[in-house]
Amino acid sequence: MRVLISIASVLPLIAHAAALPHKRQTTYEFDITALNGRFPSDGPYGTGPIDSSLSITISYPDPASTSGSTLSTTCSYSWPASTPPGPTDWTVCQDPSVQWRLPADGWTNYGNYRVEVYQTLTSDGAGLDATHILTHNPGNRSDPNAYLSCIMMGKFNPEVCQLNGPLSVQPGPVVMYATEEAARPN
């Protein structure tokens, strides 16, 4: 008796759901295909005046394509010597329709941060937003974000980070699924 009452209460919902138009969901993908970082490292002799930098190469959807073609651009940011690297504001990539940042709410250190990419598609600022956490965690094989390989290069030399290096747990590219946004996130 209880089963019949439950089924009877669900039947009108099924008819309503079937009447709704079904639209195809489009999945937008941004891939980080290369990453190069240079960061100061605290060694036994201290940290020298090292310029820090981070650059990523991404492939992203071509808005003019109807066949799913992609474009590629490089995004870079540099910190002056003796300035500790940290979160960044939105910075324009080589393709000016694409911007990127290292948001404050995803920054722990230069071996653990979140990368966010935004592609502007319309004149009113609507576009695609994609984000992913990247970590350097060679001792934890189960870390799904451990794409970074960071190696200290010696006294007064930077720590160098990259994708697909000898200490990377996960192989690149880093796949980021984008969402459609009315405006770039602040």
Short mmCIF file of all heavy atoms in Angstrom, two decimals, residues 43-115:
data_model
loop_
_atom_site.label_atom_id
_atom_site.label_comp_id
_atom_site.label_asym_id
_atom_site.label_seq_id
_atom_site.Cartn_x
_atom_site.Cartn_y
_atom_site.Cartn_z
N GLY A 43 67.63 27.54 1.30
CA GLY A 43 68.61 26.48 1.50
C GLY A 43 69.45 26.77 2.73
O GLY A 43 69.19 27.72 3.47
N PRO A 44 70.48 26.00 2.95
CA PRO A 44 71.34 26.21 4.12
C PRO A 44 72.08 27.54 4.08
O PRO A 44 72.53 28.02 5.10
CB PRO A 44 72.31 25.02 4.08
CG PRO A 44 72.25 24.50 2.69
CD PRO A 44 70.90 24.86 2.16
N TYR A 45 72.21 28.16 2.91
CA TYR A 45 72.92 29.43 2.79
C TYR A 45 71.95 30.60 2.63
O TYR A 45 72.36 31.70 2.30
CB TYR A 45 73.87 29.38 1.60
CG TYR A 45 74.82 28.22 1.68
CD1 TYR A 45 74.63 27.10 0.89
CD2 TYR A 45 75.89 28.23 2.58
CE1 TYR A 45 75.48 26.03 0.98
CE2 TYR A 45 76.74 27.16 2.67
CZ TYR A 45 76.54 26.05 1.87
OH TYR A 45 77.38 24.99 1.97
N GLY A 46 70.68 30.37 2.83
CA GLY A 46 69.69 31.44 2.68
C GLY A 46 69.18 31.54 1.26
O GLY A 46 69.50 30.73 0.40
N THR A 47 68.40 32.57 1.03
CA THR A 47 67.81 32.79 -0.28
C THR A 47 68.48 33.99 -0.93
O THR A 47 68.56 35.06 -0.35
CB THR A 47 66.30 33.07 -0.15
OG1 THR A 47 65.71 31.93 0.47
CG2 THR A 47 65.66 33.29 -1.50
N GLY A 48 68.94 33.80 -2.14
CA GLY A 48 69.56 34.91 -2.86
C GLY A 48 68.50 35.74 -3.56
O GLY A 48 67.31 35.41 -3.54
N PRO A 49 68.89 36.86 -4.17
CA PRO A 49 67.95 37.72 -4.87
C PRO A 49 67.54 37.10 -6.21
O PRO A 49 68.11 37.40 -7.25
CB PRO A 49 68.73 39.01 -5.06
CG PRO A 49 70.16 38.58 -5.09
CD PRO A 49 70.25 37.38 -4.20
N ILE A 50 66.59 36.21 -6.16
CA ILE A 50 66.16 35.46 -7.35
C ILE A 50 64.84 36.01 -7.85
O ILE A 50 63.90 36.19 -7.08
CB ILE A 50 66.02 33.96 -7.01
CG1 ILE A 50 67.39 33.39 -6.63
CG2 ILE A 50 65.40 33.20 -8.16
CD1 ILE A 50 67.33 31.99 -6.10
N ASP A 51 64.78 36.28 -9.15
CA ASP A 51 63.50 36.65 -9.77
C ASP A 51 62.64 35.40 -9.84
O ASP A 51 63.10 34.35 -10.27
CB ASP A 51 63.72 37.19 -11.19
CG ASP A 51 64.46 38.51 -11.20
OD1 ASP A 51 64.34 39.27 -10.22
OD2 ASP A 51 65.15 38.78 -12.20
N SER A 52 61.39 35.53 -9.41
CA SER A 52 60.46 34.41 -9.48
C SER A 52 59.54 34.60 -10.68
O SER A 52 59.17 35.73 -11.03
CB SER A 52 59.60 34.34 -8.22
OG SER A 52 60.41 34.13 -7.10
N SER A 53 59.17 33.51 -11.30
CA SER A 53 58.25 33.58 -12.43
C SER A 53 57.48 32.27 -12.56
O SER A 53 57.92 31.23 -12.08
CB SER A 53 59.02 33.86 -13.73
OG SER A 53 59.90 32.79 -14.01
N LEU A 54 56.35 32.39 -13.21
CA LEU A 54 55.53 31.21 -13.50
C LEU A 54 54.88 31.44 -14.84
O LEU A 54 54.33 32.52 -15.11
CB LEU A 54 54.45 31.02 -12.42
CG LEU A 54 53.54 29.81 -12.60
CD1 LEU A 54 54.33 28.50 -12.48
CD2 LEU A 54 52.43 29.82 -11.55
N SER A 55 54.97 30.46 -15.73
CA SER A 55 54.27 30.55 -17.01
C SER A 55 53.61 29.21 -17.30
O SER A 55 54.12 28.16 -16.93
CB SER A 55 55.23 30.95 -18.14
OG SER A 55 56.08 29.89 -18.47
N ILE A 56 52.44 29.30 -17.93
CA ILE A 56 51.71 28.11 -18.33
C ILE A 56 51.35 28.25 -19.80
O ILE A 56 51.16 29.35 -20.31
CB ILE A 56 50.42 27.89 -17.50
CG1 ILE A 56 49.46 29.08 -17.63
CG2 ILE A 56 50.75 27.60 -16.05
CD1 ILE A 56 48.09 28.84 -16.99
N THR A 57 51.29 27.14 -20.48
CA THR A 57 50.78 27.09 -21.84
C THR A 57 49.47 26.32 -21.76
O THR A 57 49.43 25.23 -21.17
CB THR A 57 51.76 26.39 -22.79
OG1 THR A 57 53.01 27.09 -22.75
CG2 THR A 57 51.23 26.35 -24.21
N ILE A 58 48.42 26.90 -22.32
CA ILE A 58 47.12 26.25 -22.28
C ILE A 58 46.54 26.10 -23.68
O ILE A 58 46.81 26.91 -24.56
CB ILE A 58 46.11 27.02 -21.39
CG1 ILE A 58 45.91 28.44 -21.89
CG2 ILE A 58 46.52 27.02 -19.95
CD1 ILE A 58 44.74 29.15 -21.25
N SER A 59 45.77 25.04 -23.85
CA SER A 59 44.94 24.92 -25.05
C SER A 59 43.51 25.14 -24.56
O SER A 59 43.16 24.76 -23.45
CB SER A 59 45.11 23.57 -25.73
OG SER A 59 44.67 22.52 -24.92
N TYR A 60 42.70 25.77 -25.40
CA TYR A 60 41.36 26.18 -24.99
C TYR A 60 40.46 26.20 -26.21
O TYR A 60 40.93 26.22 -27.36
CB TYR A 60 41.40 27.54 -24.29
CG TYR A 60 42.04 28.62 -25.11
CD1 TYR A 60 41.28 29.51 -25.86
CD2 TYR A 60 43.43 28.75 -25.15
CE1 TYR A 60 41.87 30.49 -26.63
CE2 TYR A 60 44.03 29.73 -25.92
CZ TYR A 60 43.25 30.60 -26.65
OH TYR A 60 43.84 31.56 -27.42
N PRO A 61 39.13 26.21 -26.01
CA PRO A 61 38.20 26.15 -27.14
C PRO A 61 38.32 27.36 -28.07
O PRO A 61 38.45 28.49 -27.60
CB PRO A 61 36.82 26.13 -26.49
CG PRO A 61 37.05 25.81 -25.06
CD PRO A 61 38.44 26.23 -24.72
N ASP A 62 38.30 27.08 -29.37
CA ASP A 62 38.27 28.15 -30.37
C ASP A 62 36.82 28.59 -30.52
O ASP A 62 35.98 27.81 -31.00
CB ASP A 62 38.82 27.62 -31.69
CG ASP A 62 38.82 28.66 -32.80
OD1 ASP A 62 38.28 29.77 -32.60
OD2 ASP A 62 39.37 28.36 -33.87
N PRO A 63 36.47 29.82 -30.11
CA PRO A 63 35.07 30.24 -30.15
C PRO A 63 34.50 30.32 -31.57
O PRO A 63 33.30 30.26 -31.76
CB PRO A 63 35.06 31.61 -29.48
CG PRO A 63 36.47 32.08 -29.50
CD PRO A 63 37.33 30.86 -29.58
N ALA A 64 35.36 30.42 -32.57
CA ALA A 64 34.89 30.51 -33.95
C ALA A 64 34.69 29.14 -34.60
O ALA A 64 34.13 29.03 -35.68
CB ALA A 64 35.89 31.32 -34.78
N SER A 65 35.12 28.09 -33.92
CA SER A 65 35.06 26.75 -34.50
C SER A 65 33.71 26.07 -34.23
O SER A 65 33.16 26.18 -33.14
CB SER A 65 36.18 25.88 -33.91
OG SER A 65 36.03 24.55 -34.30
N THR A 66 33.24 25.37 -35.23
CA THR A 66 32.04 24.54 -35.05
C THR A 66 32.41 23.06 -34.94
O THR A 66 31.54 22.23 -34.72
CB THR A 66 31.06 24.73 -36.22
OG1 THR A 66 31.75 24.41 -37.45
CG2 THR A 66 30.54 26.16 -36.28
N SER A 67 33.70 22.77 -35.10
CA SER A 67 34.14 21.37 -35.07
C SER A 67 34.93 21.01 -33.81
O SER A 67 35.51 19.94 -33.72
CB SER A 67 35.00 21.08 -36.30
OG SER A 67 36.17 21.88 -36.27
N GLY A 68 34.98 21.92 -32.84
CA GLY A 68 35.67 21.63 -31.59
C GLY A 68 37.16 21.90 -31.63
O GLY A 68 37.91 21.36 -30.82
N SER A 69 37.63 22.72 -32.55
CA SER A 69 39.05 23.05 -32.63
C SER A 69 39.49 23.82 -31.39
O SER A 69 38.68 24.44 -30.71
CB SER A 69 39.33 23.90 -33.86
OG SER A 69 39.04 23.18 -35.02
N THR A 70 40.79 23.78 -31.13
CA THR A 70 41.33 24.50 -29.99
C THR A 70 42.41 25.48 -30.43
O THR A 70 42.97 25.36 -31.53
CB THR A 70 41.93 23.54 -28.95
OG1 THR A 70 43.00 22.80 -29.57
CG2 THR A 70 40.89 22.59 -28.39
N LEU A 71 42.68 26.43 -29.57
CA LEU A 71 43.77 27.39 -29.74
C LEU A 71 44.76 27.18 -28.60
O LEU A 71 44.45 26.48 -27.63
CB LEU A 71 43.22 28.82 -29.70
CG LEU A 71 42.19 29.19 -30.76
CD1 LEU A 71 41.58 30.55 -30.47
CD2 LEU A 71 42.82 29.16 -32.14
N SER A 72 45.90 27.82 -28.69
CA SER A 72 46.90 27.70 -27.63
C SER A 72 47.48 29.08 -27.34
O SER A 72 47.64 29.90 -28.24
CB SER A 72 48.01 26.75 -28.07
OG SER A 72 48.97 26.61 -27.06
N THR A 73 47.78 29.34 -26.07
CA THR A 73 48.41 30.59 -25.67
C THR A 73 49.29 30.34 -24.45
O THR A 73 49.15 29.31 -23.79
CB THR A 73 47.35 31.69 -25.37
OG1 THR A 73 48.02 32.94 -25.25
CG2 THR A 73 46.58 31.40 -24.10
N THR A 74 50.17 31.28 -24.18
CA THR A 74 51.03 31.21 -23.01
C THR A 74 50.67 32.36 -22.08
O THR A 74 50.44 33.48 -22.53
CB THR A 74 52.51 31.30 -23.42
OG1 THR A 74 52.81 30.19 -24.27
CG2 THR A 74 53.43 31.25 -22.21
N CYS A 75 50.63 32.06 -20.79
CA CYS A 75 50.30 33.05 -19.76
C CYS A 75 51.48 33.09 -18.79
O CYS A 75 51.95 32.04 -18.35
CB CYS A 75 49.04 32.65 -19.01
SG CYS A 75 47.63 32.26 -20.08
N SER A 76 51.95 34.29 -18.46
CA SER A 76 53.14 34.41 -17.61
C SER A 76 52.95 35.48 -16.55
O SER A 76 52.20 36.44 -16.74
CB SER A 76 54.36 34.80 -18.46
OG SER A 76 54.60 33.85 -19.45
N TYR A 77 53.66 35.30 -15.44
CA TYR A 77 53.70 36.30 -14.39
C TYR A 77 55.08 36.25 -13.75
O TYR A 77 55.65 35.17 -13.57
CB TYR A 77 52.64 36.03 -13.32
CG TYR A 77 52.46 37.19 -12.38
CD1 TYR A 77 51.57 38.22 -12.68
CD2 TYR A 77 53.19 37.28 -11.21
CE1 TYR A 77 51.42 39.30 -11.83
CE2 TYR A 77 53.04 38.35 -10.35
CZ TYR A 77 52.16 39.36 -10.67
OH TYR A 77 52.02 40.44 -9.83
N SER A 78 55.63 37.42 -13.42
CA SER A 78 56.95 37.50 -12.78
C SER A 78 56.87 38.34 -11.52
O SER A 78 56.17 39.36 -11.49
CB SER A 78 57.97 38.13 -13.72
OG SER A 78 58.16 37.32 -14.84
N TRP A 79 57.60 37.92 -10.50
CA TRP A 79 57.74 38.68 -9.26
C TRP A 79 59.16 39.24 -9.24
O TRP A 79 60.10 38.57 -9.64
CB TRP A 79 57.53 37.79 -8.05
CG TRP A 79 56.16 37.23 -7.90
CD1 TRP A 79 55.13 37.77 -7.19
CD2 TRP A 79 55.65 36.00 -8.44
NE1 TRP A 79 54.02 36.97 -7.27
CE2 TRP A 79 54.30 35.87 -8.03
CE3 TRP A 79 56.18 35.00 -9.26
CZ2 TRP A 79 53.50 34.80 -8.38
CZ3 TRP A 79 55.39 33.93 -9.62
CH2 TRP A 79 54.07 33.84 -9.18
N PRO A 80 59.36 40.48 -8.75
CA PRO A 80 60.72 41.04 -8.69
C PRO A 80 61.61 40.24 -7.73
O PRO A 80 61.12 39.54 -6.85
CB PRO A 80 60.50 42.46 -8.14
CG PRO A 80 59.04 42.73 -8.27
CD PRO A 80 58.35 41.41 -8.30
N ALA A 81 62.92 40.39 -7.91
CA ALA A 81 63.87 39.70 -7.05
C ALA A 81 63.60 40.02 -5.59
O ALA A 81 63.22 41.14 -5.24
CB ALA A 81 65.29 40.12 -7.42
N SER A 82 63.78 39.03 -4.75
CA SER A 82 63.61 39.13 -3.30
C SER A 82 62.17 39.37 -2.87
O SER A 82 61.91 39.61 -1.70
CB SER A 82 64.51 40.22 -2.71
OG SER A 82 65.86 39.94 -3.03
N THR A 83 61.22 39.31 -3.80
CA THR A 83 59.80 39.40 -3.44
C THR A 83 59.25 37.98 -3.42
O THR A 83 59.32 37.27 -4.42
CB THR A 83 59.02 40.23 -4.49
OG1 THR A 83 59.58 41.52 -4.56
CG2 THR A 83 57.55 40.30 -4.15
N PRO A 84 58.71 37.55 -2.28
CA PRO A 84 58.19 36.19 -2.24
C PRO A 84 57.01 36.05 -3.21
O PRO A 84 56.15 36.90 -3.28
CB PRO A 84 57.72 36.00 -0.80
CG PRO A 84 58.06 37.23 -0.06
CD PRO A 84 58.56 38.25 -1.03
N PRO A 85 56.98 34.95 -3.98
CA PRO A 85 55.85 34.74 -4.88
C PRO A 85 54.57 34.53 -4.08
O PRO A 85 54.60 34.07 -2.94
CB PRO A 85 56.23 33.50 -5.66
CG PRO A 85 57.27 32.82 -4.85
CD PRO A 85 57.93 33.87 -4.01
N GLY A 86 53.47 34.90 -4.67
CA GLY A 86 52.19 34.74 -3.99
C GLY A 86 51.04 34.90 -4.97
O GLY A 86 51.24 34.89 -6.19
N PRO A 87 49.84 35.05 -4.44
CA PRO A 87 48.66 35.18 -5.29
C PRO A 87 48.79 36.36 -6.24
O PRO A 87 49.47 37.34 -5.95
CB PRO A 87 47.52 35.41 -4.29
CG PRO A 87 48.04 34.96 -2.98
CD PRO A 87 49.52 35.13 -3.02
N THR A 88 48.14 36.25 -7.38
CA THR A 88 48.17 37.31 -8.39
C THR A 88 46.76 37.74 -8.75
O THR A 88 45.80 37.01 -8.52
CB THR A 88 48.87 36.84 -9.67
OG1 THR A 88 48.10 35.79 -10.27
CG2 THR A 88 50.27 36.34 -9.38
N ASP A 89 46.67 38.93 -9.33
CA ASP A 89 45.40 39.39 -9.87
C ASP A 89 45.32 38.89 -11.32
O ASP A 89 46.26 38.29 -11.84
CB ASP A 89 45.34 40.92 -9.81
CG ASP A 89 43.92 41.45 -9.90
OD1 ASP A 89 42.98 40.64 -10.00
OD2 ASP A 89 43.74 42.68 -9.88
N TRP A 90 44.20 39.16 -11.97
CA TRP A 90 44.02 38.75 -13.36
C TRP A 90 45.11 39.38 -14.23
O TRP A 90 45.37 40.57 -14.14
CB TRP A 90 42.65 39.14 -13.87
CG TRP A 90 41.56 38.32 -13.26
CD1 TRP A 90 40.70 38.70 -12.28
CD2 TRP A 90 41.23 36.97 -13.58
NE1 TRP A 90 39.84 37.67 -11.98
CE2 TRP A 90 40.14 36.60 -12.76
CE3 TRP A 90 41.72 36.04 -14.48
CZ2 TRP A 90 39.55 35.33 -12.81
CZ3 TRP A 90 41.14 34.78 -14.53
CH2 TRP A 90 40.08 34.44 -13.71
N THR A 91 45.74 38.57 -15.06
CA THR A 91 46.79 39.01 -15.96
C THR A 91 46.46 38.50 -17.36
O THR A 91 46.10 37.34 -17.54
CB THR A 91 48.15 38.44 -15.51
OG1 THR A 91 48.38 38.83 -14.15
CG2 THR A 91 49.28 38.92 -16.38
N VAL A 92 46.61 39.37 -18.36
CA VAL A 92 46.31 39.01 -19.74
C VAL A 92 47.38 38.07 -20.28
O VAL A 92 48.58 38.27 -20.05
CB VAL A 92 46.22 40.28 -20.62
CG1 VAL A 92 46.00 39.93 -22.08
CG2 VAL A 92 45.10 41.18 -20.13
N CYS A 93 46.95 37.06 -21.01
CA CYS A 93 47.87 36.11 -21.65
C CYS A 93 48.28 36.66 -23.02
O CYS A 93 47.86 37.75 -23.41
CB CYS A 93 47.18 34.76 -21.81
SG CYS A 93 46.69 34.02 -20.23
N GLN A 94 49.08 35.88 -23.77
CA GLN A 94 49.46 36.32 -25.11
C GLN A 94 48.24 36.56 -25.98
O GLN A 94 48.21 37.49 -26.76
CB GLN A 94 50.39 35.30 -25.77
CG GLN A 94 51.79 35.35 -25.21
CD GLN A 94 52.70 34.31 -25.85
OE1 GLN A 94 52.25 33.30 -26.39
NE2 GLN A 94 54.00 34.55 -25.76
N ASP A 95 47.24 35.69 -25.88
CA ASP A 95 45.95 35.93 -26.54
C ASP A 95 45.16 36.82 -25.60
O ASP A 95 44.80 36.41 -24.50
CB ASP A 95 45.21 34.62 -26.78
CG ASP A 95 43.82 34.81 -27.37
OD1 ASP A 95 43.30 35.94 -27.39
OD2 ASP A 95 43.24 33.80 -27.82
N PRO A 96 44.85 38.07 -25.99
CA PRO A 96 44.20 39.00 -25.06
C PRO A 96 42.78 38.61 -24.65
O PRO A 96 42.25 39.18 -23.71
CB PRO A 96 44.22 40.33 -25.81
CG PRO A 96 44.47 39.99 -27.24
CD PRO A 96 45.18 38.68 -27.27
N SER A 97 42.19 37.61 -25.31
CA SER A 97 40.85 37.17 -24.88
C SER A 97 40.94 36.22 -23.68
O SER A 97 39.94 35.86 -23.08
CB SER A 97 40.11 36.48 -26.02
OG SER A 97 40.64 35.19 -26.28
N VAL A 98 42.17 35.82 -23.32
CA VAL A 98 42.38 34.89 -22.20
C VAL A 98 43.16 35.60 -21.10
O VAL A 98 44.13 36.30 -21.36
CB VAL A 98 43.15 33.63 -22.67
CG1 VAL A 98 43.39 32.68 -21.52
CG2 VAL A 98 42.39 32.93 -23.79
N GLN A 99 42.69 35.43 -19.86
CA GLN A 99 43.37 35.96 -18.68
C GLN A 99 43.57 34.82 -17.69
O GLN A 99 42.85 33.82 -17.73
CB GLN A 99 42.53 37.05 -18.04
CG GLN A 99 42.29 38.24 -18.94
CD GLN A 99 41.39 39.25 -18.26
OE1 GLN A 99 41.57 39.58 -17.10
NE2 GLN A 99 40.40 39.74 -19.00
N TRP A 100 44.51 35.00 -16.77
CA TRP A 100 44.73 33.98 -15.74
C TRP A 100 45.14 34.65 -14.44
O TRP A 100 45.51 35.81 -14.41
CB TRP A 100 45.77 32.98 -16.20
CG TRP A 100 47.19 33.46 -16.09
CD1 TRP A 100 47.75 34.57 -16.62
CD2 TRP A 100 48.24 32.81 -15.38
NE1 TRP A 100 49.08 34.65 -16.31
CE2 TRP A 100 49.41 33.59 -15.55
CE3 TRP A 100 48.31 31.65 -14.63
CZ2 TRP A 100 50.62 33.23 -14.98
CZ3 TRP A 100 49.53 31.30 -14.07
CH2 TRP A 100 50.66 32.08 -14.25
N ARG A 101 45.03 33.86 -13.35
CA ARG A 101 45.45 34.35 -12.04
C ARG A 101 45.74 33.17 -11.13
O ARG A 101 45.37 32.02 -11.40
CB ARG A 101 44.39 35.24 -11.41
CG ARG A 101 43.15 34.50 -10.96
CD ARG A 101 42.18 35.42 -10.24
NE ARG A 101 40.94 34.74 -9.90
CZ ARG A 101 40.01 35.25 -9.14
NH1 ARG A 101 40.16 36.45 -8.61
NH2 ARG A 101 38.91 34.57 -8.89
N LEU A 102 46.40 33.50 -10.03
CA LEU A 102 46.61 32.57 -8.92
C LEU A 102 45.83 33.18 -7.77
O LEU A 102 46.33 34.07 -7.09
CB LEU A 102 48.09 32.45 -8.58
CG LEU A 102 49.01 32.03 -9.74
CD1 LEU A 102 50.46 32.17 -9.33
CD2 LEU A 102 48.70 30.63 -10.20
N PRO A 103 44.58 32.78 -7.56
CA PRO A 103 43.74 33.45 -6.55
C PRO A 103 44.23 33.21 -5.13
O PRO A 103 44.79 32.16 -4.81
CB PRO A 103 42.36 32.86 -6.78
CG PRO A 103 42.57 31.60 -7.54
CD PRO A 103 43.88 31.71 -8.25
N ALA A 104 43.98 34.20 -4.28
CA ALA A 104 44.41 34.14 -2.88
C ALA A 104 43.77 32.97 -2.14
O ALA A 104 44.40 32.36 -1.27
CB ALA A 104 44.08 35.45 -2.17
N ASP A 105 42.53 32.63 -2.48
CA ASP A 105 41.87 31.53 -1.77
C ASP A 105 42.36 30.15 -2.21
O ASP A 105 41.88 29.14 -1.73
CB ASP A 105 40.35 31.62 -1.90
CG ASP A 105 39.86 31.45 -3.33
OD1 ASP A 105 40.67 31.47 -4.27
OD2 ASP A 105 38.64 31.31 -3.51
N GLY A 106 43.34 30.11 -3.11
CA GLY A 106 43.89 28.83 -3.53
C GLY A 106 45.39 28.76 -3.40
O GLY A 106 46.02 27.80 -3.80
N TRP A 107 46.00 29.80 -2.81
CA TRP A 107 47.46 29.85 -2.71
C TRP A 107 47.92 29.38 -1.33
O TRP A 107 47.50 29.92 -0.32
CB TRP A 107 47.96 31.27 -2.94
CG TRP A 107 49.46 31.39 -2.81
CD1 TRP A 107 50.15 31.64 -1.68
CD2 TRP A 107 50.41 31.22 -3.85
NE1 TRP A 107 51.50 31.66 -1.94
CE2 TRP A 107 51.69 31.40 -3.28
CE3 TRP A 107 50.32 30.94 -5.22
CZ2 TRP A 107 52.86 31.30 -4.02
CZ3 TRP A 107 51.49 30.85 -5.95
CH2 TRP A 107 52.74 31.03 -5.35
N THR A 108 48.78 28.38 -1.29
CA THR A 108 49.43 27.96 -0.05
C THR A 108 50.91 28.32 -0.13
O THR A 108 51.45 28.98 0.73
CB THR A 108 49.27 26.45 0.19
OG1 THR A 108 47.88 26.14 0.19
CG2 THR A 108 49.87 26.03 1.50
N ASN A 109 51.56 27.87 -1.19
CA ASN A 109 52.95 28.21 -1.47
C ASN A 109 53.22 27.88 -2.94
O ASN A 109 52.32 27.45 -3.65
CB ASN A 109 53.91 27.47 -0.52
CG ASN A 109 53.76 25.96 -0.63
OD1 ASN A 109 53.73 25.40 -1.72
ND2 ASN A 109 53.66 25.29 0.51
N TYR A 110 54.47 28.05 -3.38
CA TYR A 110 54.74 27.83 -4.79
C TYR A 110 54.77 26.35 -5.18
O TYR A 110 55.02 26.03 -6.34
CB TYR A 110 56.00 28.56 -5.26
CG TYR A 110 57.23 28.30 -4.42
CD1 TYR A 110 57.97 27.14 -4.57
CD2 TYR A 110 57.64 29.23 -3.49
CE1 TYR A 110 59.09 26.92 -3.81
CE2 TYR A 110 58.77 29.01 -2.72
CZ TYR A 110 59.49 27.86 -2.89
OH TYR A 110 60.60 27.64 -2.14
N GLY A 111 54.49 25.47 -4.28
CA GLY A 111 54.33 24.05 -4.60
C GLY A 111 52.91 23.59 -4.37
O GLY A 111 52.63 22.40 -4.39
N ASN A 112 51.99 24.55 -4.13
CA ASN A 112 50.60 24.20 -3.85
C ASN A 112 49.74 25.43 -4.11
O ASN A 112 49.67 26.33 -3.28
CB ASN A 112 50.46 23.73 -2.40
CG ASN A 112 49.08 23.22 -2.09
OD1 ASN A 112 48.16 23.30 -2.89
ND2 ASN A 112 48.93 22.69 -0.89
N TYR A 113 49.11 25.49 -5.26
CA TYR A 113 48.30 26.66 -5.61
C TYR A 113 47.21 26.28 -6.61
O TYR A 113 47.24 25.21 -7.21
CB TYR A 113 49.17 27.79 -6.18
CG TYR A 113 50.14 27.36 -7.24
CD1 TYR A 113 49.75 27.27 -8.57
CD2 TYR A 113 51.45 27.04 -6.92
CE1 TYR A 113 50.64 26.87 -9.54
CE2 TYR A 113 52.34 26.64 -7.88
CZ TYR A 113 51.94 26.56 -9.20
OH TYR A 113 52.83 26.16 -10.15
N ARG A 114 46.28 27.21 -6.77
CA ARG A 114 45.19 27.03 -7.72
C ARG A 114 45.41 27.98 -8.90
O ARG A 114 45.70 29.15 -8.72
CB ARG A 114 43.84 27.33 -7.05
CG ARG A 114 42.65 27.09 -7.96
CD ARG A 114 41.35 27.05 -7.16
NE ARG A 114 41.03 28.27 -6.49
CZ ARG A 114 40.16 29.18 -6.94
NH1 ARG A 114 39.55 29.00 -8.08
NH2 ARG A 114 39.92 30.26 -6.24
N VAL A 115 45.27 27.45 -10.10
CA VAL A 115 45.36 28.23 -11.33
C VAL A 115 43.94 28.44 -11.83
O VAL A 115 43.15 27.50 -11.87
CB VAL A 115 46.19 27.50 -12.40
CG1 VAL A 115 46.13 28.23 -13.73
CG2 VAL A 115 47.62 27.32 -11.94
#
